[in-house]
Amino acid sequence: MSECIVITSGKGGVGKTTTTANLGVALAMQGARVCVVDADIGLRNLDVILGLENRIVYDLVQYIEGKCRLSQALIRDKREENLYLLPAAQTREKTAVSPYQMRELIYELKQDFHYILVDCPAGIEQGFKNAIAGADRAIVVTTPEMSAIRDADRIIGLIEAAELPEPHLLINRYRDGMVRRGDMLNKDDILEILATPLLGVIPEAEDIIISANRGYPVSYLPNSPVGGAYRNMARRINGDFDNMESLNQNKGLWNSVKRWIGIDSFSEVNG
Amino acid sequence: MRNTLKKFFGATNQSKDEAKRRLKLLLIHDQLDLTPDQIENMKHDIMGVVRQYLVINEEEADFRLDHVDEHIALVTSLPVAKIRENNG
């Protein structure tokens, strides 16, 4: 059975592309055949985060316009043979593709992949509509900031309106020190405001910047705590979203954060 | 955390240098809207023309797009092994 998951946020710069890349890598490492699709036509970046920017010959728009075969547009990851990238066009506009064409494309990809992860552009216009068109469910990425949470709320409403199942929330750039000082909204605050089940929490980490510099997602790094957090999240996706309900009930902030980050080794690394 | 990455990649090569190198190349390609395939084809065609006049040491040929001052330049270095006989 195949599933198409769109990674969206409303606000830009909260980590959609990094999330898509790392979940894609982690799911592929766990044995699934994965295609990550860059739906940000005109501003592609998923190729850069994956370090595949020099391998692009054809793109999503060229495939949709019949200028190449799907197999020609797909780029196999150089490290993980189960992982493929379908890059966006860089010099076209969002209107180059329609929601109908996206649904057709996702249907095609489902013949060959277990998971299709769609990296949604920021905003709520045509690019967003295209990105959710073929999706079976959504992951909403937010950060513990006012503006990101507000936009996440708007996006959650639009996902409901599009009659997709209830999305899951990924809280990115979580700064435990600030949370403990009471200077940052904590996980439970955010969940209370957005009333959306949690997929996981990713701590703010230098690893993410370094790995973007290298084009080498942290999910590949066996000893990276953040990589571990992504791998745990991928396991939850690979299992059943519904099984997470019990975990969502957990009390005790730091313990539950540690559980969601998925690393008891986190404290060892920092201290 | 950083040590994990450093160990993994080797400490000498700073990641920001890699980011800068990748970005420069990326921006050139974005501005020209040329695929790696097209650049490879152009290289092939240019070499074809040069080959009519010169014998080039193709192993050592360097062929790349780069920033020179404010402009994008096609920078080539084609070491000449010898001049073809029968020229002219």
PDB file of all heavy atoms in Angstrom, chain A residues 20 22 24 47 50 53 59 65 72 74 80 93 105 107 138 161-162 191 193 203 206-207 215 218 231 265-266 268:
ATOM      1  N   THR A  20      11.222  17.157   5.093  1.00  0.00           N
ATOM      2  CA  THR A  20      10.942  16.240   3.981  1.00  0.00           C
ATOM      3  C   THR A  20      12.177  15.393   3.673  1.00  0.00           C
ATOM      4  O   THR A  20      12.082  14.169   3.534  1.00  0.00           O
ATOM      5  CB  THR A  20      10.544  17.038   2.715  1.00  0.00           C
ATOM      6  OG1 THR A  20       9.481  17.923   3.051  1.00  0.00           O
ATOM      7  CG2 THR A  20      10.110  16.103   1.601  1.00  0.00           C
ATOM      8  N   ASN A  22      14.809  14.680   5.583  1.00  0.00           N
ATOM      9  CA  ASN A  22      15.227  13.769   6.649  1.00  0.00           C
ATOM     10  C   ASN A  22      14.239  12.624   6.864  1.00  0.00           C
ATOM     11  O   ASN A  22      14.658  11.488   7.132  1.00  0.00           O
ATOM     12  CB  ASN A  22      15.463  14.539   7.938  1.00  0.00           C
ATOM     13  CG  ASN A  22      16.837  15.171   7.941  1.00  0.00           C
ATOM     14  OD1 ASN A  22      17.843  14.470   8.033  1.00  0.00           O
ATOM     15  ND2 ASN A  22      16.897  16.481   7.784  1.00  0.00           N
ATOM     16  N   GLY A  24      12.371  11.457   4.514  1.00  0.00           N
ATOM     17  CA  GLY A  24      12.564  10.631   3.316  1.00  0.00           C
ATOM     18  C   GLY A  24      13.745   9.684   3.483  1.00  0.00           C
ATOM     19  O   GLY A  24      13.643   8.472   3.238  1.00  0.00           O
ATOM     20  N   ASP A  47      16.578  19.565  -3.560  1.00  0.00           N
ATOM     21  CA  ASP A  47      17.765  19.005  -4.208  1.00  0.00           C
ATOM     22  C   ASP A  47      19.043  19.404  -3.468  1.00  0.00           C
ATOM     23  O   ASP A  47      19.964  18.603  -3.298  1.00  0.00           O
ATOM     24  CB  ASP A  47      17.838  19.444  -5.681  1.00  0.00           C
ATOM     25  CG  ASP A  47      17.778  20.967  -5.849  1.00  0.00           C
ATOM     26  OD1 ASP A  47      17.150  21.628  -4.996  1.00  0.00           O
ATOM     27  OD2 ASP A  47      18.368  21.491  -6.808  1.00  0.00           O
ATOM     28  N   LEU A  50      19.442  17.649  -0.085  1.00  0.00           N
ATOM     29  CA  LEU A  50      19.838  16.249  -0.286  1.00  0.00           C
ATOM     30  C   LEU A  50      21.202  16.114  -0.974  1.00  0.00           C
ATOM     31  O   LEU A  50      21.712  15.012  -1.136  1.00  0.00           O
ATOM     32  CB  LEU A  50      18.785  15.518  -1.125  1.00  0.00           C
ATOM     33  CG  LEU A  50      17.484  15.166  -0.407  1.00  0.00           C
ATOM     34  CD1 LEU A  50      16.401  14.800  -1.420  1.00  0.00           C
ATOM     35  CD2 LEU A  50      17.687  14.019   0.585  1.00  0.00           C
ATOM     36  N   GLU A  53      21.905  18.486  -6.235  1.00  0.00           N
ATOM     37  CA  GLU A  53      21.632  19.577  -7.174  1.00  0.00           C
ATOM     38  C   GLU A  53      22.362  19.427  -8.507  1.00  0.00           C
ATOM     39  O   GLU A  53      21.894  19.939  -9.521  1.00  0.00           O
ATOM     40  CB  GLU A  53      21.953  20.932  -6.529  1.00  0.00           C
ATOM     41  CG  GLU A  53      23.439  21.227  -6.291  1.00  0.00           C
ATOM     42  CD  GLU A  53      23.943  20.750  -4.927  1.00  0.00           C
ATOM     43  OE1 GLU A  53      23.262  19.908  -4.309  1.00  0.00           O
ATOM     44  OE2 GLU A  53      25.009  21.216  -4.501  1.00  0.00           O
ATOM     45  N   ASP A  59      12.791  17.793 -14.789  1.00  0.00           N
ATOM     46  CA  ASP A  59      12.082  18.106 -13.557  1.00  0.00           C
ATOM     47  C   ASP A  59      10.597  17.764 -13.672  1.00  0.00           C
ATOM     48  O   ASP A  59      10.128  17.292 -14.712  1.00  0.00           O
ATOM     49  CB  ASP A  59      12.295  19.576 -13.172  1.00  0.00           C
ATOM     50  CG  ASP A  59      11.821  20.521 -14.279  1.00  0.00           C
ATOM     51  OD1 ASP A  59      10.673  20.371 -14.726  1.00  0.00           O
ATOM     52  OD2 ASP A  59      12.613  21.393 -14.699  1.00  0.00           O
ATOM     53  N   GLU A  65       4.593  18.082 -18.670  1.00  0.00           N
ATOM     54  CA  GLU A  65       4.383  18.595 -20.024  1.00  0.00           C
ATOM     55  C   GLU A  65       4.761  17.580 -21.103  1.00  0.00           C
ATOM     56  O   GLU A  65       4.754  17.894 -22.290  1.00  0.00           O
ATOM     57  CB  GLU A  65       5.189  19.893 -20.212  1.00  0.00           C
ATOM     58  CG  GLU A  65       4.613  21.037 -19.370  1.00  0.00           C
ATOM     59  CD  GLU A  65       5.424  22.319 -19.465  1.00  0.00           C
ATOM     60  OE1 GLU A  65       6.590  22.271 -19.932  1.00  0.00           O
ATOM     61  OE2 GLU A  65       4.889  23.361 -19.054  1.00  0.00           O
ATOM     62  N   GLN A  72      13.085   9.360 -16.163  1.00  0.00           N
ATOM     63  CA  GLN A  72      14.182  10.291 -16.478  1.00  0.00           C
ATOM     64  C   GLN A  72      14.222  11.459 -15.492  1.00  0.00           C
ATOM     65  O   GLN A  72      15.281  12.021 -15.233  1.00  0.00           O
ATOM     66  CB  GLN A  72      14.000  10.855 -17.902  1.00  0.00           C
ATOM     67  CG  GLN A  72      14.236   9.834 -18.986  1.00  0.00           C
ATOM     68  CD  GLN A  72      13.952  10.440 -20.361  1.00  0.00           C
ATOM     69  OE1 GLN A  72      12.848  10.889 -20.636  1.00  0.00           O
ATOM     70  NE2 GLN A  72      14.968  10.457 -21.205  1.00  0.00           N
ATOM     71  N   LEU A  74      13.252  11.296 -12.309  1.00  0.00           N
ATOM     72  CA  LEU A  74      13.558  10.847 -10.945  1.00  0.00           C
ATOM     73  C   LEU A  74      15.056  10.705 -10.751  1.00  0.00           C
ATOM     74  O   LEU A  74      15.745  10.108 -11.576  1.00  0.00           O
ATOM     75  CB  LEU A  74      12.880   9.501 -10.675  1.00  0.00           C
ATOM     76  CG  LEU A  74      11.351   9.537 -10.533  1.00  0.00           C
ATOM     77  CD1 LEU A  74      10.793   8.118 -10.526  1.00  0.00           C
ATOM     78  CD2 LEU A  74      10.939  10.281  -9.266  1.00  0.00           C
ATOM     79  N   GLU A  80      21.391   6.161  -0.661  1.00  0.00           N
ATOM     80  CA  GLU A  80      20.317   5.251  -0.249  1.00  0.00           C
ATOM     81  C   GLU A  80      19.522   4.855  -1.495  1.00  0.00           C
ATOM     82  O   GLU A  80      18.825   5.677  -2.068  1.00  0.00           O
ATOM     83  CB  GLU A  80      19.419   5.952   0.793  1.00  0.00           C
ATOM     84  CG  GLU A  80      18.213   5.187   1.217  1.00  0.00           C
ATOM     85  CD  GLU A  80      18.537   3.793   1.699  1.00  0.00           C
ATOM     86  OE1 GLU A  80      19.246   3.638   2.703  1.00  0.00           O
ATOM     87  OE2 GLU A  80      18.077   2.838   1.038  1.00  0.00           O
ATOM     88  N   GLU A  93       6.683  28.879 -12.992  1.00  0.00           N
ATOM     89  CA  GLU A  93       5.847  29.375 -11.902  1.00  0.00           C
ATOM     90  C   GLU A  93       4.887  28.297 -11.419  1.00  0.00           C
ATOM     91  O   GLU A  93       4.682  27.295 -12.087  1.00  0.00           O
ATOM     92  CB  GLU A  93       5.080  30.617 -12.384  1.00  0.00           C
ATOM     93  CG  GLU A  93       6.042  31.769 -12.613  1.00  0.00           C
ATOM     94  CD  GLU A  93       5.362  33.047 -13.048  1.00  0.00           C
ATOM     95  OE1 GLU A  93       4.122  33.116 -12.958  1.00  0.00           O
ATOM     96  OE2 GLU A  93       6.086  33.960 -13.472  1.00  0.00           O
ATOM     97  N   LEU A 105       0.060  12.712 -11.211  1.00  0.00           N
ATOM     98  CA  LEU A 105       1.478  12.431 -10.959  1.00  0.00           C
ATOM     99  C   LEU A 105       1.636  11.541  -9.720  1.00  0.00           C
ATOM    100  O   LEU A 105       2.380  10.553  -9.750  1.00  0.00           O
ATOM    101  CB  LEU A 105       2.243  13.745 -10.763  1.00  0.00           C
ATOM    102  CG  LEU A 105       3.661  13.614 -10.211  1.00  0.00           C
ATOM    103  CD1 LEU A 105       4.585  13.000 -11.260  1.00  0.00           C
ATOM    104  CD2 LEU A 105       4.216  14.965  -9.775  1.00  0.00           C
ATOM    105  N   TYR A 107      -0.518   9.579  -8.426  1.00  0.00           N
ATOM    106  CA  TYR A 107      -1.053   8.257  -8.754  1.00  0.00           C
ATOM    107  C   TYR A 107       0.016   7.418  -9.469  1.00  0.00           C
ATOM    108  O   TYR A 107       0.233   6.255  -9.151  1.00  0.00           O
ATOM    109  CB  TYR A 107      -2.313   8.389  -9.621  1.00  0.00           C
ATOM    110  CG  TYR A 107      -2.875   7.056 -10.036  1.00  0.00           C
ATOM    111  CD1 TYR A 107      -3.678   6.328  -9.153  1.00  0.00           C
ATOM    112  CD2 TYR A 107      -2.581   6.511 -11.279  1.00  0.00           C
ATOM    113  CE1 TYR A 107      -4.169   5.079  -9.521  1.00  0.00           C
ATOM    114  CE2 TYR A 107      -3.066   5.267 -11.650  1.00  0.00           C
ATOM    115  CZ  TYR A 107      -3.864   4.559 -10.771  1.00  0.00           C
ATOM    116  OH  TYR A 107      -4.331   3.321 -11.125  1.00  0.00           O
ATOM    117  N   ALA A 138      -1.413  14.819   5.930  1.00  0.00           N
ATOM    118  CA  ALA A 138      -0.482  15.949   5.997  1.00  0.00           C
ATOM    119  C   ALA A 138       0.275  15.953   7.316  1.00  0.00           C
ATOM    120  O   ALA A 138      -0.241  15.537   8.353  1.00  0.00           O
ATOM    121  CB  ALA A 138      -1.242  17.263   5.830  1.00  0.00           C
ATOM    122  N   ALA A 161     -10.622  21.645   5.413  1.00  0.00           N
ATOM    123  CA  ALA A 161     -11.545  22.062   4.346  1.00  0.00           C
ATOM    124  C   ALA A 161     -11.339  21.229   3.079  1.00  0.00           C
ATOM    125  O   ALA A 161     -12.273  20.996   2.318  1.00  0.00           O
ATOM    126  CB  ALA A 161     -11.358  23.538   4.046  1.00  0.00           C
ATOM    127  N   ALA A 162     -10.101  20.776   2.865  1.00  0.00           N
ATOM    128  CA  ALA A 162      -9.802  19.953   1.688  1.00  0.00           C
ATOM    129  C   ALA A 162     -10.185  18.492   1.924  1.00  0.00           C
ATOM    130  O   ALA A 162      -9.930  17.634   1.077  1.00  0.00           O
ATOM    131  CB  ALA A 162      -8.331  20.069   1.332  1.00  0.00           C
ATOM    132  N   LEU A 191       0.337  22.229  21.632  1.00  0.00           N
ATOM    133  CA  LEU A 191      -0.688  21.214  21.341  1.00  0.00           C
ATOM    134  C   LEU A 191      -2.060  21.691  21.810  1.00  0.00           C
ATOM    135  O   LEU A 191      -3.075  21.412  21.165  1.00  0.00           O
ATOM    136  CB  LEU A 191      -0.325  19.879  22.004  1.00  0.00           C
ATOM    137  CG  LEU A 191       0.917  19.187  21.425  1.00  0.00           C
ATOM    138  CD1 LEU A 191       1.195  17.895  22.179  1.00  0.00           C
ATOM    139  CD2 LEU A 191       0.736  18.898  19.938  1.00  0.00           C
ATOM    140  N   ILE A 193      -3.062  24.819  21.952  1.00  0.00           N
ATOM    141  CA  ILE A 193      -3.536  25.865  21.044  1.00  0.00           C
ATOM    142  C   ILE A 193      -4.009  25.284  19.719  1.00  0.00           C
ATOM    143  O   ILE A 193      -5.056  25.651  19.200  1.00  0.00           O
ATOM    144  CB  ILE A 193      -2.421  26.906  20.796  1.00  0.00           C
ATOM    145  CG1 ILE A 193      -2.128  27.670  22.096  1.00  0.00           C
ATOM    146  CG2 ILE A 193      -2.800  27.872  19.684  1.00  0.00           C
ATOM    147  CD1 ILE A 193      -0.820  28.447  22.075  1.00  0.00           C
ATOM    148  N   PRO A 203      14.691  19.216  18.208  1.00  0.00           N
ATOM    149  CA  PRO A 203      15.376  20.321  18.888  1.00  0.00           C
ATOM    150  C   PRO A 203      16.144  21.191  17.893  1.00  0.00           C
ATOM    151  O   PRO A 203      16.550  20.714  16.840  1.00  0.00           O
ATOM    152  CB  PRO A 203      16.343  19.607  19.834  1.00  0.00           C
ATOM    153  CG  PRO A 203      16.567  18.269  19.233  1.00  0.00           C
ATOM    154  CD  PRO A 203      15.347  17.917  18.452  1.00  0.00           C
ATOM    155  N   GLU A 206      22.778  22.650  15.760  1.00  0.00           N
ATOM    156  CA  GLU A 206      23.768  23.080  14.766  1.00  0.00           C
ATOM    157  C   GLU A 206      23.934  22.036  13.668  1.00  0.00           C
ATOM    158  O   GLU A 206      24.278  22.364  12.535  1.00  0.00           O
ATOM    159  CB  GLU A 206      25.115  23.331  15.448  1.00  0.00           C
ATOM    160  CG  GLU A 206      25.096  24.533  16.374  1.00  0.00           C
ATOM    161  CD  GLU A 206      26.462  24.814  16.974  1.00  0.00           C
ATOM    162  OE1 GLU A 206      27.431  24.114  16.628  1.00  0.00           O
ATOM    163  OE2 GLU A 206      26.550  25.737  17.804  1.00  0.00           O
ATOM    164  N   ASP A 207      23.680  20.779  14.029  1.00  0.00           N
ATOM    165  CA  ASP A 207      23.787  19.693  13.044  1.00  0.00           C
ATOM    166  C   ASP A 207      23.045  20.011  11.754  1.00  0.00           C
ATOM    167  O   ASP A 207      23.483  19.672  10.659  1.00  0.00           O
ATOM    168  CB  ASP A 207      23.141  18.403  13.596  1.00  0.00           C
ATOM    169  CG  ASP A 207      23.997  17.733  14.638  1.00  0.00           C
ATOM    170  OD1 ASP A 207      24.740  18.451  15.309  1.00  0.00           O
ATOM    171  OD2 ASP A 207      23.899  16.500  14.770  1.00  0.00           O
ATOM    172  N   GLY A 215      25.029  19.111   2.179  1.00  0.00           N
ATOM    173  CA  GLY A 215      24.081  18.344   1.371  1.00  0.00           C
ATOM    174  C   GLY A 215      23.971  16.921   1.854  1.00  0.00           C
ATOM    175  O   GLY A 215      23.857  15.975   1.071  1.00  0.00           O
ATOM    176  N   VAL A 218      20.949  14.853   8.232  1.00  0.00           N
ATOM    177  CA  VAL A 218      21.373  14.284   9.524  1.00  0.00           C
ATOM    178  C   VAL A 218      20.815  12.887   9.780  1.00  0.00           C
ATOM    179  O   VAL A 218      21.382  12.137  10.562  1.00  0.00           O
ATOM    180  CB  VAL A 218      20.971  15.170  10.734  1.00  0.00           C
ATOM    181  CG1 VAL A 218      21.816  16.413  10.813  1.00  0.00           C
ATOM    182  CG2 VAL A 218      19.498  15.507  10.727  1.00  0.00           C
ATOM    183  N   ARG A 231      14.649   9.649  12.710  1.00  0.00           N
ATOM    184  CA  ARG A 231      14.477   8.205  12.474  1.00  0.00           C
ATOM    185  C   ARG A 231      13.324   7.671  13.311  1.00  0.00           C
ATOM    186  O   ARG A 231      12.544   6.833  12.853  1.00  0.00           O
ATOM    187  CB  ARG A 231      15.786   7.461  12.772  1.00  0.00           C
ATOM    188  CG  ARG A 231      16.882   7.730  11.735  1.00  0.00           C
ATOM    189  CD  ARG A 231      18.056   6.770  11.872  1.00  0.00           C
ATOM    190  NE  ARG A 231      18.771   6.941  13.130  1.00  0.00           N
ATOM    191  CZ  ARG A 231      19.771   7.824  13.318  1.00  0.00           C
ATOM    192  NH1 ARG A 231      20.161   8.597  12.320  1.00  0.00           N
ATOM    193  NH2 ARG A 231      20.378   7.914  14.470  1.00  0.00           N
ATOM    194  N   SER A 265      19.717   9.424  25.006  1.00  0.00           N
ATOM    195  CA  SER A 265      21.140   9.762  24.888  1.00  0.00           C
ATOM    196  C   SER A 265      21.338  11.265  24.754  1.00  0.00           C
ATOM    197  O   SER A 265      22.439  11.763  24.775  1.00  0.00           O
ATOM    198  CB  SER A 265      21.752   9.066  23.676  1.00  0.00           C
ATOM    199  OG  SER A 265      21.078   9.473  22.509  1.00  0.00           O
ATOM    200  N   PHE A 266      20.209  11.992  24.600  1.00  0.00           N
ATOM    201  CA  PHE A 266      20.300  13.432  24.393  1.00  0.00           C
ATOM    202  C   PHE A 266      21.074  14.106  25.516  1.00  0.00           C
ATOM    203  O   PHE A 266      21.935  14.935  25.277  1.00  0.00           O
ATOM    204  CB  PHE A 266      18.878  14.003  24.315  1.00  0.00           C
ATOM    205  CG  PHE A 266      18.823  15.366  23.715  1.00  0.00           C
ATOM    206  CD1 PHE A 266      19.353  15.598  22.455  1.00  0.00           C
ATOM    207  CD2 PHE A 266      18.229  16.417  24.383  1.00  0.00           C
ATOM    208  CE1 PHE A 266      19.294  16.846  21.886  1.00  0.00           C
ATOM    209  CE2 PHE A 266      18.171  17.671  23.820  1.00  0.00           C
ATOM    210  CZ  PHE A 266      18.705  17.883  22.568  1.00  0.00           C
ATOM    211  N   GLU A 268      23.164  12.713  27.555  1.00  0.00           N
ATOM    212  CA  GLU A 268      24.585  12.300  27.527  1.00  0.00           C
ATOM    213  C   GLU A 268      25.383  13.182  26.577  1.00  0.00           C
ATOM    214  O   GLU A 268      26.488  13.601  26.878  1.00  0.00           O
ATOM    215  CB  GLU A 268      24.729  10.869  26.994  1.00  0.00           C
ATOM    216  CG  GLU A 268      24.231   9.792  27.931  1.00  0.00           C
ATOM    217  CD  GLU A 268      24.090   8.481  27.188  1.00  0.00           C
ATOM    218  OE1 GLU A 268      24.885   8.248  26.268  1.00  0.00           O
ATOM    219  OE2 GLU A 268      23.183   7.705  27.535  1.00  0.00           O
TER     220      GLU A 268
END
